Structures are given as C-alpha cells and as structure tokens.
Amino acid sequence: MLSVATPRPGGRAALWLSAAAVSAALAFSGALVAPAGAHAATTASYTGIVLGVGADEAQRTVSWYTSADSAQVVQVAPTSALVGGEFVASVTTFSATGTANIASSGGFNRHATISGLQENTQYSYRVGSNGNWSATYSFQTQSFEGDFDFLFFGDPQIGASGNVANDQAGWVDTMNVALNANPNAELLVSGGDQVETANTETQWDAFLAPEQLRSYPWAATIGNHDVGGKAYEQHFYTPNTDYSADYYRSGNTATESGGDYWYIYKDVLFIDLNSNSYNDATGGGDEAHVQYVTDVVNAHGAEAKYTVLVYHHSIYSAASHAKDADNKVRRVDFPTTFSQLGVDLVLQGHDHVYTRSYEIKDGQKANADEQPGANDVFVGEGGVIYMTANSASGSKYYDITAPDNSGTSGAGNGADPLNPGSYWYNSVQSQEKTRSYVKVQVKADELVVEGIRSQASANGGVESKIDSVTIHPHHADGGEDLQVIVPTAAPGEFGWTIDGENGLVDLGTAEEKDGYFEASGEINPISVSDTRSSLAPWSITSVLGDFADGKKTFSGSYLGWSPKVVTPGAGAVAGAAVASGFDGGAGLSVTRVLGAAVQGHDKGEALLGADLDLKLPTETQTGSYRATLTITALAG
C-alpha cells in the first residue's frame, strides 16, 4: 500500500532554495550617446513626469506630458557619473513614443521604458531632447533577489472633497509619512481612483504633486473615477498590458481607459485588472479577466513564489459599496478561480474603508476556527486573503454598514458568527476617518501586511498600526519545503537560517569553498508509527526534482544526504548516505531510501531525519530556487 504523509489537504512537496547567486551586471539596452550642446529645434515643456513599474526589477517606465509633438527620449546615467548634477559622461537614451492628448488635456503624451538596470545602484534621469531637458530626477535600485517591501495606497481620489488643494495636501503628507518611515520600499502600488474626474487635469496635477512619484515606481490601477476618459492612459504606461476591448468597460477603447497587465518583481507575480469591465453582456467582463489571470498564472506563475492581484472594486469590504450589485457579481465570478490558481493576496480599494478578510477559499471562509483580528494566518491550499485600503488622501470616507441577508455568494452579506457586527468574510474592518496606507513585507516564507495611519486618530498616532497580519503560505503536502541562499561567488559574509515552521526547511546561505558553493542543514524529522499485527516491511523514500528560479535551473542531483534514526522504534534502519552529485553520482535526483524496516520488525514508532549536503558549481546563477522533494511511504 502506498501512503503519503499529508498534514493538511493539498498538493506537492516543494524544496525551496532561496538564492542570491553569481550574477553579471546587466548592461543598458539603449544606445550610448554623449549629450550634445546644440539646442533643439523645438522648445518643449515637460509636465506630469511619473516613474512607473517595469516588467521586472531591472526595468522602469517613465511617462510625461509635453507641449511639443517632437522626438523625445529618457536619458539615464548612474548618479555617480554626474558631475555637479550634470550629465557630462556617456549616458544611455531610451526612445519615447506617444500621441496627442485628448482636447481637454491638451498637448501630447510620451513614455519610455528603461531596461538593463543594475542592482544596488542609484540612477539619475531626465526627459526631453538635446538642449531642451526637464529637471533631473533619481531613483535607487536594490538587490534583485530576496525580501522587499512595497506600499499600497487606496483611493487618493483628488477632488472628491470638493477642495483639490486640501486633497493634494493630504495626499502629499501621506506620501511623506509613508516614505520617510519606509525609505527602502521598492514599489508604490495603487488601489485605483487617482482622481475624482477622469479628464480633469488640475486634479491629475495635484495627484502627481508628491516628488516621490519621480523616484519610486508607481504601479497604477484604474478605478471607476479614472475610467471615463483617456487621461489615465495618457499619464501611465504599464508593462505587458493587453489593451483588447475585452478589458474595457463595454468594450469602449475609443473614449475610455482600460486594459489588464502583469509584471514580476523579485518573487512576486503582480496581476492588475480593470474591474470596471465586469458585465459579460456588454464586453469581455469578469469572464475575460478570469481567463486573463488564468493564462498569466499558467504562463508565469512558476517564475515567482507569490501571486498578488490588484484591482479597484473590493469584493469583501464593509462600507457603502459592500452591497453594490456589481460587487455581488464579482464576488461570484472571482474567488473560486483565485483559489484554484493559488493566489496569495488580493489588494483592493473603492470602498474608502479598511478591511482584511478571513482566509477565503472558493468564496467561503476556509477555516471556521480563524478568530477575528488574528495576527497570524496559516493558509491552507487555495486560501486567499483580501485587503481593502482606506483613503490615502482623506478626500472621502464611507461609514461602515451593517450585515444583512442580501448577497449572491456563500452567506451573502450576512453577519460573522464570531463578531456579529461585522460581515462574515471580514476578520478586521475599521473606519477611523483618518488617512492611512498599507505596507506589505515580502519575505521568504511569509507576507506581513500592515494597515498604518498616516494621520493621527483617537486610536493611535502617525505611523501607528490599524492592523497587522502575517500570512504564512501553504506548503505542499506529502513532503517538505527546503530553502537555501546561494550568494554571489566572492569573499564575504554569509548567513543561514532554518525554519521548519509549516514544512519549510531553510538551508541558509551557501558558503563559497574552493571551487564550489556548499550549504547544509537537515530535514524536518519524519515520524513513523507501525502497529500492524502482520509486522510487514515498510520504507520511506524520497526523490528530488530540479531546482528552479523562473527560467534558471540546476539539477537536484547536487543535493545529498545522510539519513539517521533520531528516535529508534518500529524496526527503523536508516537508509544509505548519498553524496552530492557534485562529487559524482545522481544525488537525490533518483529515488533514495530515508529509512526502512524488514518483515517481522517490532511494533512502535520511530523518528527519521537526514542531514543535507548541497554542493554547487560557483557558476550557478544568482537566484531564489525551489525544487520538489517528494516523500513516499510504502507499507507492504
């Protein structure tokens, strides 16, 4: 009989190797030029400059408005190459494209993609043409591997209060508070509704007022107040964007903004949807979005360790939009697919309230025992956490509404049995009517999500926490997840940690030896219990697949082990030691015995373990790698 140890229902066992490995600095893909002194034939002005997210951590986009329909570029150089703030050395240029703006915006729009960035480097850039440049701005890249933080902002909606200047002041203050407290944040992620009225440029000017929008990449999301014109698309260029009619409200590509897009930043696959298009009867709607998410995850999900979805209309919120008819439609259309695809976190806006859902699987609360406001959530297979961010500018807030028996999915909009004043799906819901933002820490084996005040309230001061939760991802059943960091091949410090929580085994940071990397650790012990009267033989075997980090791989044969009986019993005998394939052989890439017992053994329990030995060539690429370690129990 074949049996697999499965602590929770779910899928495969994964070996996780988180790595920083040998890497050559990427060169720019643009043309090298020296700045010319001649003045451009046409003098143009440049406004609305905003730094955007690229397709990966080695890219950024830049978008801007210009008064002239002329050939323009982004000019980029490491800040260290500037002299007195001037571009005097050879620099890199990236050609811009764009079109005329709509009449209400005036002028023209341009955008360009900066590629080939190197990690841990400060860059300076400007837009325009020779002799006619914008001011110079800068941004900092960080390590292209490992942990990182990003900040999520809900509904600035500049102009919603009726006072653009006040809304701008609140928005600028939130950005100052958030980035003064988190200067190493790597992305600014939008929840949508940048402005109150889609094509009102005074509101866009106020939204773009924070200087940080020139230095930190803004990952734009389209809200219902952004969709009704072309200004959103004029102001933001997003990577990997599908501008098909299916991703526009009512298929209207002519006068509205829209599109779905995705990008990968370090270990996170981000997918951003235009949730304004939801009605299948008038366009692609939710059906098209579901197919888009499915296609992107199937094509690129294996290149990342987490999947985060972003769209505007919150399907699990608590204020005036919680019972909207369109959100009830999305609440039916989205959750099951998101669970099936292994989405980890969904970030939303629209309802101008802060909420954090329980673990949701297939549109239902996944764990009846999860308590309101729990600070740690250990999700099972298919479990998803949904967040709603409150207003980052303070332009508008909505009061929390009471649960009732309305709704079209699961328990509809009913009350939480554990907290009857809240909706059944919300672990936390808060409306303090003060500005806030959300901080997400992406770590090797957890996502830490915090709601943070950017304005003092009766419940706490600036930078105090509204809510904090650590999301522990599901690890595949029937095996264990192992992690190791492979450093760049150079002398220096290294470190490693072991985390056996929730199945993760951490091999730490590999140490560079004479001609190879080496890391060691041990598996989480495996308990064997055998009380059968037949006293039949049994064995525990394992086999390891290739390590992979996106498209980078190395063979599982490089891992070897030395099995051991930690606690004797049940006739257990440790399997033979297996050397790393670096020294010759197949390592754990073929089936190996961890422990076994022969016919007639004693009844009882045993605890099996194994010391792990990983040796890698120094040519191994920098990366954060995973492989599948499948553990099988055979009882004869």
Side-chain angles (χ1 to χ4, degrees), residues 257-329:
S257 293
D260 289 358
Y261 74 96
W262 65 272
Y263 58 99
I264 293 178
Y265 193 88
K266 293 190 178 179
D267 286 333
V268 180
L269 169 62
F270 289 90
I271 306 176
D272 196 287
L273 306 177
N274 174 19
S275 57
N276 296 283
S277 170
Y278 76 95
N279 188 343
D280 297 354
T282 58
D286 286 350
E287 182 179 353
H289 294 313
V290 166
Q291 189 62 53
Y292 182 85
V293 175
T294 301
D295 291 344
V296 171
V297 170
N298 286 341
H300 302 285
E303 299 171 32
K305 297 179 177 60
Y306 300 99
T307 299
V308 175
L309 301 189
V310 187
Y311 53 81
H312 181 61
H313 296 78
S314 177
I315 63 175
Y316 297 117
S317 60
S320 63
H321 288 306
K323 301 172 187 177
D324 285 356
D326 59 335
N327 270 337
K328 292 176 183 178
V329 173

Side-chain angles (χ1 to χ4, degrees), residues 58-81:
Q59 288 189 358
R60 300 290 188 272
T61 61
V62 183
S63 303
W64 65 96
Y65 274 12
T66 175
S67 60
D69 190 13
S70 58
Q72 296 170 22
V73 301
V74 176
Q75 191 178 68
V76 187
T79 302
S80 60

Side-chain angles (χ1 to χ4, degrees), residues 156-167:
Q157 204 169 327
I158 305 299
S161 71
N163 188 319
V164 170
N166 283 352
D167 296 349

Side-chain angles (χ1 to χ4, degrees), residues 529-565:
S529 176
D530 192 353
T531 58
R532 294 173 299 164
S533 299
S534 64
L535 306 180
W538 57 262
S539 65
I540 302 291
T541 63
S542 294
V543 64
L544 179 67
D546 287 345
F547 287 82
D549 178 17
K551 297 178 181 178
K552 299 176 289 188
T553 64
F554 64 81
S555 173
S557 65
Y558 288 122
L559 185 68
W561 70 1
S562 298
K564 56 188 175 182
V565 177

Side-chain angles (χ1 to χ4, degrees), residues 483-503:
Q483 173 178 292
V484 63
I485 297 173
V486 179
T488 300
E493 295 184 4
F494 67 94
W496 58 273
T497 61
I498 295 179
D499 182 4
E501 185 176 86
N502 201 24

Side-chain angles (χ1 to χ4, degrees), residues 208-268:
L208 293 170
E211 283 302 307
Q212 294 91 341
L213 292 176
R214 260 68 70 196
S215 298
Y216 293 83
W218 180 255
T221 297
I222 190 168
N224 58 298
H225 286 267
D226 305 315
V227 74
K230 282 296 185 182
Y232 173 90
E233 289 182 4
Q234 293 168 183
H235 279 293
F236 301 124
Y237 179 73
T238 51
N240 301 318
T241 305
D242 192 328
Y243 291 108
S244 301
D246 279 352
Y247 309 117
Y248 283 73
R249 187 173 60 178
S250 300
N252 181 5
T253 62
T255 61
E256 292 195 352
S257 293
D260 289 358
Y261 74 96
W262 65 272
Y263 58 99
I264 293 178
Y265 193 88
K266 293 190 178 179
D267 286 333
V268 180

